[in-house]
Amino acid sequence: MTENNDFIRNQISEDIENGKFDQIITRFPPEPNGYLHIGHATSICLNFGIAEDFSNARCNLRFDDTNPTKENLEFVNSIKQDIQWLGFDWQDNEFYASDYFQKLFEFALKLIKLNKAYVDDQSYEEIRNNRGTLTEPGINSPNRSRSVEENLSLFTEMKNGQFQAGSRVLRAKIDMSSPNINMRDPVMYRIIDSTHHQTGDLWKIYPMYDFAHGLSDSIEKVTHSLCTLEYEAHRPLYEWFLKELQTFPSQQIEFGKVSLSHTILSKRNLLKLVDSKKVSGWTDPRMPTLSGMRRLGYTPEAIKDFCSRISITKRENIADIALLEHCVREDLNSKSQRRMAVLKPLKITIQNFDENNTEWLEAPNHPKDETFGSRKIPFTKEIYIEKDDFMEDPIPKFFRLSPGKEVRLRYGYIIKCIEVKKNPDSGEIIELLCTYDPETRGGNTPDGRKVKGTIHWVSASKNLNAEVRLFDRLCSEPDPDITSEESLDKILNPNSLEIIIAAKLELELENAEPGNLFQFERIGFFCVDNEDSTSENLIFNRTATLRDNWSK
């Protein structure tokens, strides 16, 4: 076993020592009705991580595809892509609950024959109303006393499509007075007239999640069925089905769900974001989906580091999104090549530099790792700097460029501002006239004078014109999962995206490819967008600022 340690791994170690299982089998069981998000990453890392940590262990990928009205192959394919991107491999162990539909149907028949299940004609509303409350027992269905023969006949007719969708259900016959509402004759099957992405139109009835999930675990001989605490109250039902049907006794173990501050994780609200066009889709870089985070520039290593840091506990927790952002900054800082980019350009003309000359300056691709190599940067008579790096009337301790003052150009020379040109109508500063000291190449001062400020820049004649998307947190509220009645506008950050159409980037970036990672010096971490970018029109997404701007 590796250094990973938590109460679940401790339980598995104990089961192995006691000879309880010959092989450890876990599973990651997504419902293919949406894209995976950062909340799912914890379960992915846990289940597949256990398979890596223990010898003679494996993790199945099983799609719990029991509701064809909300599921499709787009979701199936995106889930597989995300798991592979995180670095996990289910090998030949890809399964679907729909693989077991015939077996599950046979299990249902067996329960009917044992007088443990019955067909109910009540409407969904009647079933819900008769279920009772936490303080009052439920009311038996008038159909609960049907004979085994009648139930077998009705259930077969349900399967054969002889009844309308929603007209009948199959329920387990357990205890309508149970203090656990989940045990009050739960629905096992319902009639759905919809094409399934795996089985087509073969089935007219579909098992409920609580019935299919545990039995699918059992069919696959899953030893440790790991789920979040919300399913703790469902465990008695999980175990009831396995016991009554005398199948392999998979063990359900619950762990605490970890929510993330400033992040919507409920599928209902994520779908609302997509449907209301608040985001461009499931892969919008502001979305907490793994596909969106990948597009934003997150790495598998950063996400797995985050999951490791929050760990697995028996309590529900809320992790600060600042921790996730710290993990990606730390990872990107070590693996991102450096480049210079000017997002809001201000033109500088260097009066004492030959306009016919281009000087190529050497710059390291990474300040702390020589294996990244170096690159050449063109220095020309006209350059661009950031507007914010100049102040005509500088405030105290402003060490960047201002009239009559010097500043160091990164990897270049020391320049001095001698004149400010403005638009005569608006008064806006449109150009700075400067001189450069040719003896200060690389930023050194042979005469020993001190120049405190260093700024980034790009050549005005030899640069890449590109679109830069400055993404920020989608939600301004720390707890943004709203109720169905509340408005999304209440919790969304109005400044979650700023698009800069014509940023000026270092020429070296013209060969960047989708997914490439960079640090734009003094600005932040960026990646090339993997959906909208083309070779003729590169788009760079900001993954993270260099520092946490939200903590101020």
Side-chain angles (χ1 to χ4, degrees), residues 339-346 383-386 456-468 500-507 509 520 523:
R339 296 291 184 269
M340 291 194 290
V342 175
L343 305 188
K344 298 178 180 179
L346 174 61
I383 64 173
Y384 289 121
I385 66 168
E386 293 285 355
H456 63 276
W457 57 278
V458 297
S459 165
S461 58
K462 292 179 171 59
N463 66 67
L464 173 67
N465 205 56
E467 179 178 325
V468 173
I500 298 174
I501 299 297
K504 308 299 182 182
L505 278 54
E506 195 178 311
L507 194 61
L509 287 164
F520 289 176
I523 300 177

Side-chain angles (χ1 to χ4, degrees), residues 112-115 117 145-153:
I112 292 173
K113 292 174 182 177
L114 293 170
N115 202 23
S145 58
R146 274 180 166 148
S147 68
V148 169
E149 292 74 19
E150 185 179 4
N151 283 317
L152 287 172
S153 176

Side-chain angles (χ1 to χ4, degrees), residues 33-165:
N33 57 10
Y35 279 64
L36 296 180
H37 57 59
I38 183 63
H40 295 111
T42 304
S43 180
I44 294 171
C45 292
L46 174 62
N47 282 284
F48 282 98
I50 286 171
E52 293 178 348
D53 291 348
F54 292 90
S55 60
N56 198 26
R58 77 164 196 254
C59 178
N60 296 343
L61 170 60
R62 184 184 72 242
F63 292 93
D64 280 338
D65 53 343
T66 59
N67 188 353
T69 63
K70 295 183 178 180
E71 301 163 352
N72 61 53
L73 284 175
E74 176 191 350
F75 297 139
V76 170
N77 292 332
S78 73
I79 288 168
K80 288 163 45 171
Q81 182 183 16
D82 287 343
I83 296 171
Q84 289 174 326
W85 174 69
L86 283 175
F88 297 111
D89 182 8
W90 55 89
Q91 300 176 340
D92 296 328
N93 304 305
E94 178 183 329
F95 306 112
Y96 297 78
S98 54
D99 295 339
Y100 315 132
F101 278 177
Q102 181 60 38
K103 184 67 174 176
L104 294 171
F105 175 72
E106 292 169 4
F107 279 143
L109 290 176
K110 183 175 180 180
L111 287 174
I112 292 173
K113 292 174 182 177
L114 293 170
N115 202 23
K116 297 289 186 178
Y118 63 96
V119 173
D120 195 355
D121 303 345
Q122 293 184 106
S123 67
Y124 285 118
E125 184 176 357
E126 289 172 323
I127 291 174
R128 184 174 60 251
N129 292 339
N130 292 335
R131 197 181 185 192
T133 65
L134 293 173
T135 57
E136 297 178 351
I139 300 171
N140 284 347
S141 166
N143 307 127
R144 200 173 194 268
S145 58
R146 274 180 166 148
S147 68
V148 169
E149 292 74 19
E150 185 179 4
N151 283 317
L152 287 172
S153 176
L154 287 171
F155 188 52
T156 301
E157 290 173 351
M158 286 171 60
K159 174 183 178 292
N160 293 337
Q162 294 178 235
F163 301 118
Q164 287 187 340

Side-chain angles (χ1 to χ4, degrees), residues 90 112 122 158-159 181 194-195 257 280 333 336 352 354 373 379 382-383 389 449 459-460 472 506 512 529 539 546:
W90 55 89
I112 292 173
Q122 293 184 106
M158 286 171 60
K159 174 183 178 292
I181 291 181
S194 183
T195 300
K257 178 186 288 187
S280 61
N333 189 52
S336 297
N352 60 334
D354 185 353
F379 183 70
E382 295 179 344
I383 64 173
D389 282 337
R449 70 184 187 274
S459 165
D472 204 347
E506 195 178 311
D529 188 271
I539 297 172
L546 294 179

Side-chain angles (χ1 to χ4, degrees), residues 154-191:
L154 287 171
F155 188 52
T156 301
E157 290 173 351
M158 286 171 60
K159 174 183 178 292
N160 293 337
Q162 294 178 235
F163 301 118
Q164 287 187 340
S167 62
R168 283 174 172 78
V169 296
L170 182 71
R171 300 177 68 179
K173 187 187 292 187
I174 306 178
D175 182 3
M176 288 299 292
S177 63
S178 171
N180 185 337
I181 291 181
N182 294 300
M183 300 296 284
R184 295 180 186 176
D185 291 9
V187 174
M188 295 165 50
Y189 270 90
R190 73 280 207 208
I191 303 170

Side-chain angles (χ1 to χ4, degrees), residues 362-547:
E362 188 88 9
N365 288 327
H366 196 288
K368 297 180 180 179
D369 193 338
E370 294 181 355
T371 63
F372 279 76
S374 63
R375 67 196 188 278
K376 299 286 188 179
I377 301 174
F379 183 70
T380 54
K381 185 177 183 67
E382 295 179 344
I383 64 173
Y384 289 121
I385 66 168
E386 293 285 355
K387 285 184 177 179
D388 289 345
D389 282 337
F390 177 80
M391 289 190 75
E392 189 173 16
D393 299 307
I395 60 175
K397 296 185 178 181
F398 181 81
F399 299 123
R400 286 163 281 169
L401 193 60
S402 58
K405 301 295 183 181
E406 290 185 316
V407 75
R408 182 182 293 104
L409 296 179
R410 183 78 160 145
Y411 310 119
Y413 295 94
I414 291 174
I415 62 171
K416 182 177 183 178
C417 178
I418 59 174
E419 186 179 339
V420 178
K421 288 190 172 184
K422 298 182 181 181
N423 182 307
D425 297 323
S426 66
E428 178 188 5
I429 297 173
I430 56 174
E431 185 181 358
L432 305 176
L433 301 183
C434 298
T435 59
Y436 88 113
D437 184 345
E439 302 299 320
T440 59
R441 178 167 174 160
N444 298 315
T445 54
D447 59 2
R449 70 184 187 274
K450 293 183 179 180
V451 178
K452 291 185 176 181
T454 299
I455 62 175
H456 63 276
W457 57 278
V458 297
S459 165
S461 58
K462 292 179 171 59
N463 66 67
L464 173 67
N465 205 56
E467 179 178 325
V468 173
R469 298 174 179 177
L470 300 178
F471 289 101
D472 204 347
R473 296 177 185 175
L474 180 61
C475 302
S476 53
E477 292 293 320
D479 182 15
D481 267 324
I482 59 174
T483 65
S484 56
E485 294 79 19
E486 293 178 294
S487 169
L488 286 169
D489 293 328
K490 173 184 175 183
I491 49 88
L492 294 182
N493 173 17
N495 302 312
S496 64
L497 172 59
E498 178 185 357
I499 298 177
I500 298 174
I501 299 297
K504 308 299 182 182
L505 278 54
E506 195 178 311
L507 194 61
E508 186 79 10
L509 287 164
E510 66 182 351
N511 297 317
E513 298 179 352
N516 284 174
L517 306 170
F518 300 98
Q519 183 194 109
F520 289 176
E521 299 202 38
R522 300 179 64 232
I523 300 177
F525 296 100
F526 290 77
C527 79
V528 183
D529 188 271
N530 62 14
E531 288 192 14
D532 294 341
S533 278
T534 65
S535 57
E536 295 78 23
N537 182 33
L538 289 176
I539 297 172
F540 292 81
N541 297 331
R542 184 174 67 187
T543 309
T545 53
L546 294 179
R547 296 173 184 82

Side-chain angles (χ1 to χ4, degrees), residues 75-336:
F75 297 139
V76 170
N77 292 332
S78 73
I79 288 168
K80 288 163 45 171
Q81 182 183 16
D82 287 343
I83 296 171
Q84 289 174 326
W85 174 69
L86 283 175
F88 297 111
D89 182 8
W90 55 89
Q91 300 176 340
D92 296 328
N93 304 305
E94 178 183 329
F95 306 112
Y96 297 78
S98 54
D99 295 339
Y100 315 132
F101 278 177
Q102 181 60 38
K103 184 67 174 176
L104 294 171
F105 175 72
E106 292 169 4
F107 279 143
L109 290 176
K110 183 175 180 180
L111 287 174
I112 292 173
K113 292 174 182 177
L114 293 170
N115 202 23
K116 297 289 186 178
Y118 63 96
V119 173
D120 195 355
D121 303 345
Q122 293 184 106
S123 67
Y124 285 118
E125 184 176 357
E126 289 172 323
I127 291 174
R128 184 174 60 251
N129 292 339
N130 292 335
R131 197 181 185 192
T133 65
L134 293 173
T135 57
E136 297 178 351
I139 300 171
N140 284 347
S141 166
N143 307 127
R144 200 173 194 268
S145 58
R146 274 180 166 148
S147 68
V148 169
E149 292 74 19
E150 185 179 4
N151 283 317
L152 287 172
S153 176
L154 287 171
F155 188 52
T156 301
E157 290 173 351
M158 286 171 60
K159 174 183 178 292
N160 293 337
Q162 294 178 235
F163 301 118
Q164 287 187 340
S167 62
R168 283 174 172 78
V169 296
L170 182 71
R171 300 177 68 179
K173 187 187 292 187
I174 306 178
D175 182 3
M176 288 299 292
S177 63
S178 171
N180 185 337
I181 291 181
N182 294 300
M183 300 296 284
R184 295 180 186 176
D185 291 9
V187 174
M188 295 165 50
Y189 270 90
R190 73 280 207 208
I191 303 170
I192 297 178
D193 185 14
S194 183
T195 300
H196 192 280
H197 55 89
Q198 296 293 323
T199 61
D201 297 316
L202 180 62
W203 291 90
K204 302 301 180 185
I205 55 172
Y206 289 91
M208 295 295 289
Y209 178 87
D210 275 339
F211 179 67
H213 180 75
L215 288 169
S216 296
D217 284 345
S218 182
I219 292 169
E220 295 173 13
K221 292 185 166 46
V222 169
T223 55
H224 299 81
S225 177
L226 311 178
C227 57
T228 49
L229 277 173
E230 62 198 281
Y231 291 100
E232 184 175 26
H234 295 250
R235 187 177 357 126
L237 180 57
Y238 181 104
E239 295 173 345
W240 185 87
F241 284 126
L242 302 189
K243 179 181 178 182
E244 294 297 330
L245 291 164
Q246 298 181 329
T247 61
F248 180 83
S250 298
Q251 180 182 3
Q252 177 175 306
I253 302 175
E254 303 88 14
F255 61 93
K257 178 186 288 187
V258 178
S259 301
L260 192 63
S261 72
H262 298 87
T263 307
I264 293 174
L265 293 180
S266 100
K267 279 186 179 178
R268 174 178 51 80
N269 283 334
L270 289 176
L271 183 61
K272 186 185 290 187
L273 282 173
V274 174
D275 290 344
S276 64
K277 308 296 184 183
K278 300 291 186 183
V279 293
S280 61
W282 289 99
T283 63
D284 187 302
R286 292 168 293 178
M287 289 282 275
T289 57
L290 296 181
S291 296
M293 295 175 72
R294 177 167 63 249
R295 187 177 172 191
L296 184 61
Y298 270 76
T299 61
E301 293 77 16
I303 291 175
K304 289 193 281 189
D305 181 30
F306 170 73
C307 291
S308 176
R309 290 178 188 236
I310 60 176
S311 71
I312 301 298
T313 69
K314 294 183 178 181
R315 296 178 301 172
E316 293 191 347
N317 292 298
I318 299 177
D320 193 329
I321 195 173
L323 175 60
L324 176 63
E325 294 168 343
H326 168 77
C327 290
V328 76
R329 285 191 187 98
E330 189 172 78
D331 188 50
L332 292 178
N333 189 52
S334 66
K335 63 180 52 169
S336 297

